[in-house]
Amino acid sequence: MKHYDEEDEFVEYKSRSQKKREADELEDLAAFLVEMPANQLKGLPLEKDIRDEIGRTRGISNLAARRRQVKYLAKLLRGLDDEANEELHLYVARFRQSKAKETENFHQIEVWRDRLCEEGPGAVDLLARTWPRADLAPLRSAVSRFQQTRGKHEYRLVFQLLRNIMGR
């Protein structure tokens, strides 16, 4: 909501509900930061004290204490200036996007594995058209072994070979 103050200057007014929504968003962000993989935390555009706080929060196993610590971490994040806050949000958005892409690729490999294991050599030929430079001999042999034995080992092997072929 927008209004003018006593000196007729334009002021942005935030309702109580809006302030709560923003606080909840920061709390969700803090919880996400705590759950992020350790190797990704190194690249976070944050001050050392906030990084240390994230590390301390990760070490807490009691759920109630962890929740309080996440709230405290959200309070620290509220103290960030606009530029640092924007950098942090961009970093987290890129991380989420890369995780979504990873998940999508994983599912695509699973779909191909299931199709190859059900259809057999015909599906390998279709894969050859999709990935013309791939060495499909080991995959073709793994698929035929799976069709003969229906074993878990061959099923996993087909997945691993597909992951190598698709370069993911």
Side-chain angles (χ1 to χ4, degrees), residues 42-105:
K42 294 175 186 170
L44 277 175
L46 289 175
E47 301 163 1
K48 183 169 176 18
D49 59 334
I50 296 177
R51 283 177 205 263
D52 293 343
E53 202 58 47
I54 291 171
R56 277 192 288 277
T57 305
R58 288 172 154 236
I60 298 173
S61 58
N62 182 300
L63 291 178
R66 190 178 182 113
R67 196 171 329 135
R68 278 191 304 274
Q69 199 66 20
V70 166
K71 286 183 182 289
Y72 177 68
L73 185 57
K75 177 184 173 186
L76 292 177
L77 291 175
R78 271 194 297 277
L80 292 175
D81 62 349
D82 291 340
E83 185 177 321
N85 196 5
E86 189 173 324
E87 273 186 59
L88 179 62
H89 277 84
L90 283 173
Y91 185 86
V92 169
R94 281 192 300 261
F95 176 76
R96 284 181 172 157
Q97 188 177 25
S98 71
K99 286 301 271 186
K101 184 72 173 156
E102 253 178 54
T103 303
E104 180 184 329
N105 292 338

Side-chain angles (χ1 to χ4, degrees), residues 97-159:
Q97 188 177 25
S98 71
K99 286 301 271 186
K101 184 72 173 156
E102 253 178 54
T103 303
E104 180 184 329
N105 292 338
F106 185 84
H107 289 305
Q108 184 181 15
I109 293 170
E110 284 181 324
V111 166
W112 270 107
R113 177 199 52 204
D114 293 342
R115 185 172 184 183
L116 287 170
C117 289
E118 286 175 22
E119 297 176 18
V124 175
D125 294 336
L126 180 63
L127 183 72
R129 281 184 242 130
T130 309
W131 297 91
R133 296 182 183 165
D135 178 21
L136 298 176
L139 181 64
R140 194 178 304 275
S141 124
V143 167
S144 66
R145 274 196 317 263
F146 174 79
Q147 296 233 311
Q148 292 168 358
T149 64
R150 298 282 182 201
K152 290 181 182 177
H153 176 72
E154 287 77 14
Y155 192 68
R156 290 183 191 127
L157 182 62
V158 169
F159 182 85

